[in-house]
Amino acid sequence: QVQLVESGGGLVQPGGSLRLSCAASGFTLDSYSIGWFRLAPGKEREGVACISGSDGKTYYTGSTKGRFTISKDHAKNTVYLQIDGFKPEDTASYHCVAGDTCGKVVAGRYDYWGRGTQVTVSS
């Protein structure tokens, strides 16, 4: 059974850092590309990063480029999203997704979706 479970969210101050985790089960990380999306009240779903299953290349979108770093650990079958320099507008539920390629994932076409981890940026 394929499952994606996010963790690592919480309350963080502006300028702070967090590392979010996405633990995958039922498949190995070279089988799928893994992306991160975020959902905030009143805003559209926003893709923030993706890491390719085949070659590990990374992709970033939008205003998160430069502050977000995606990586993966094959031994732990886990993908990470390091977020630095938090801004209040980063407050959202962060979800990881799995799809065939990062091109498809970024376009919103993916096969699996985790329940998310909440990040709240506040002083």
Side-chain angles (χ1 to χ4, degrees), residues 16-29:
S17 298
L18 278 179
R19 189 179 74 163
L20 308 183
S21 299
C22 171
S25 58
F27 67 96
T28 57
L29 293 182

Side-chain angles (χ1 to χ4, degrees), residues 1-4 26-27 32 35 96-99 109-114:
Q1 180 181 358
V2 172
Q3 195 173 16
L4 298 169
F27 67 96
Y32 284 94
C96 60
V97 301
R109 301 196 302 272
Y110 39 80
D111 300 312
Y112 304 102
W113 165 275

Side-chain angles (χ1 to χ4, degrees), residues 93-117:
S93 175
Y94 286 75
H95 300 257
C96 60
V97 301
D100 289 340
T101 66
C102 277
K104 290 183 178 181
V105 167
V106 170
R109 301 196 302 272
Y110 39 80
D111 300 312
Y112 304 102
W113 165 275
R115 298 183 67 178
T117 185

